[in-house]
Every structure is written in C-alpha cells, then in structure tokens.
Amino acid sequence: MTDTIQQLEDNKQYSKEQVEAYIQNKLYPLHDILASIASSDFSNDVPIPQEENEFSELYVSIQLMIDVIREHVQELEEFNQALEDKVKEKVKELAESNEMNEAILSNIGDGLIVMDDELKILSINSSAKKMLSVGKNSLEGVVWPAKYTVTDQDGNAVPIKELPVSKALEMNEVVIDDSKMFTRADGTRFYVAITASPIIKSDEVVGAIVVFRDITLEKEIDQAKSEFVSLA
C-alpha cells in the first residue's frame, strides 16, 4: 500500500515524506519567531507570505497574538515605571523627612534617648552623648542605663523599676522627675530634669522617649540660696 496523500494545492498526490517536507518548508519562517516568543521576546514581526496559502491564517493569527502581547507588555511597563517613580518619590520624601528629623534632634539642646520596651537604646542624639561624655562610641543596642548609672541625690543607684522611663512604660503615661542624677562615662554625676514619655503603637506600649537636661547649675543655685537663708 502506497503511503500517499491526495490533492494538495495543485491536486496532485504526494508521499507522506513530501507532505511533511512541504509543511516544514511553509512553517520554517515561524521557527525563529516562535523561539523569540518562547524567550519572552516579542520584538520581531511574523514574515507573512505575500502569496496566500493554507498557512496564511496561522501566520496572521500569530502576528495578531504578538500585537496583543506587545500592547499588554507596554501597559505593564508603563505601570511598572509609574509605580517605580512613585516609590522613588516616596523614598526621597522619607529620606528628606528623616534627614530633617535627625537634624532637629541633633541640634536641640536637650538630651534625647529613644528606647524599646526592654530599655534597649534605639537612638540617642548628640546632646545626650555630649552630656554623658559618650564620645564617638555608639550606645545603640545597649540596655539603659548600663554604665551610665542613674542615682538619687545621695549617690544611691536607682533600681530599674524606679527609673522614670520604667514608670512611663508601666503606667503608660508621661513621667517628669528632677530628683535624679546621671553618671557620665568618666564616673562624674550631674543633676537632670527628666521627661519620660511612652511610645504607643496600635494601643500597645512599644518603647519610650527620654528627654533630659542638665540642671546642675540650677540645683547649686537653689542649694546656695537655702544655705544663705539658713545662715541669715
């Protein structure tokens, strides 16, 4: 039995091998296009034959598919670009805002320390470092008060639970105290006025901000006044 297929475009009989060769020849121009599509490259157009044949519709359909994909890719690229621009803008705004906040915190005269709810230092401004004689050392990650002991006016170390910041965390309210002294890195002490405020996020206390200033001169003046009055 002869393996033949009848009536192609010229109504002649051809062998199976001839038909396969004919189809391969007609579809060969699509090889590179389909390879490009498989690798997500839609930049090439389908070489549609000038003379219409039984594969013309296939060629046109593939070209239409590529055109639709190009449109979607273009829309996606435009969307991604717009999104990227917005992200860059927000990042820039955030960076500028952070720089401004850091500049403000660095230049205020009061010392400022930000801690988490376990008294671990998250941030400390330059004024606080200067008053504590920290120098260039970083205190971030150090648990307060560490070696910077907080004492009462008689030099007794204040228990952790009695620290103004601990009370602020426990009671969830601002605590003001001017009866404590901070210890510098060199061991000397100075009087401080402290304001400890809880940081609340989603109705939960997650940390605290401690603002303090050196009131040693004020205490010495008050003490001198008291001694003068007692001698009068």
Side-chain angles (χ1 to χ4, degrees):
M1 180 176 178
T2 306
D3 189 6
T4 61
I5 298 178
Q6 299 181 9
Q7 294 186 349
L8 288 181
E9 58 187 12
D10 55 4
N11 293 320
K12 294 181 180 180
Q13 289 186 337
Y14 293 88
S15 68
K16 181 179 179 181
E17 288 76 14
Q18 288 176 316
V19 172
E20 289 178 349
Y22 173 81
I23 293 174
Q24 289 178 0
N25 180 62
K26 291 294 185 180
L27 296 181
Y28 182 77
L30 291 175
H31 180 271
D32 292 340
I33 295 294
L34 295 177
S36 298
I37 293 175
S39 61
S40 300
D41 179 5
F42 308 103
S43 61
N44 299 315
D45 288 325
V46 176
I48 299 176
Q50 294 182 353
E51 296 183 4
E52 187 174 346
N53 57 48
E54 62 269 32
F55 297 101
S56 296
E57 186 175 344
L58 174 62
Y59 274 67
V60 172
S61 297
I62 294 176
Q63 181 61 52
L64 290 174
M65 179 190 71
I66 292 175
D67 291 340
V68 171
I69 293 175
R70 282 174 179 169
E71 290 180 6
H72 288 304
V73 169
Q74 173 100 21
E75 292 174 357
L76 184 59
E77 288 177 349
E78 291 175 355
F79 175 80
N80 287 339
Q81 185 60 52
L83 183 60
E84 184 178 343
D85 291 342
K86 287 184 179 179
V87 170
K88 287 181 179 179
E89 183 180 350
K90 291 299 180 183
V91 169
K92 181 180 179 181
E93 291 176 358
L94 183 60
E96 291 174 350
S97 177
N98 287 340
E99 288 177 1
M100 178 63 73
N101 290 337
E102 290 178 4
I104 292 173
L105 295 179
S106 296
N107 288 284
I108 61 175
D110 292 345
L112 186 146
I113 303 176
V114 181
M115 311 176 194
D116 64 14
D117 58 351
E118 296 181 349
L119 303 186
K120 184 181 293 184
I121 297 175
L122 304 177
S123 179
I124 179 169
N125 74 345
S126 57
S127 294
K129 288 184 176 182
K130 183 177 181 180
M131 281 187 271
L132 293 171
S133 300
V134 173
K136 295 183 179 180
N137 297 325
S138 174
L139 290 182
E140 295 177 4
V142 175
V143 177
W144 178 259
K147 64 181 180 181
Y148 304 95
T149 310
V150 180
T151 69
D152 60 22
Q153 297 184 24
D154 296 323
N156 301 310
V158 178
I160 298 296
K161 291 184 178 181
E162 298 299 319
L163 293 173
V165 64
S166 298
K167 293 182 178 179
L169 290 170
E170 181 181 357
M171 298 185 295
N172 190 15
E173 62 182 38
V174 177
V175 175
I176 299 175
D177 191 316
D178 65 353
S179 64
K180 303 295 187 292
M181 302 184 75
F182 281 177
T183 306
R184 299 186 180 91
D186 60 6
T188 59
R189 294 182 295 130
F190 62 101
Y191 289 99
V192 286
I194 305 169
T195 300
S197 307
I199 300 173
I200 302 173
K201 183 179 181 181
S202 301
D203 297 324
E204 182 181 353
V205 178
V206 296
I209 299 175
V210 175
V211 178
F212 64 93
R213 61 186 180 88
D214 187 343
I215 58 169
T216 302
L217 181 59
E218 296 173 28
K219 287 288 187 180
E220 290 176 349
I221 292 174
D222 288 341
Q223 184 177 355
K225 287 181 179 177
S226 298
E227 291 178 354
F228 178 79
V229 170
S230 65
L231 294 174

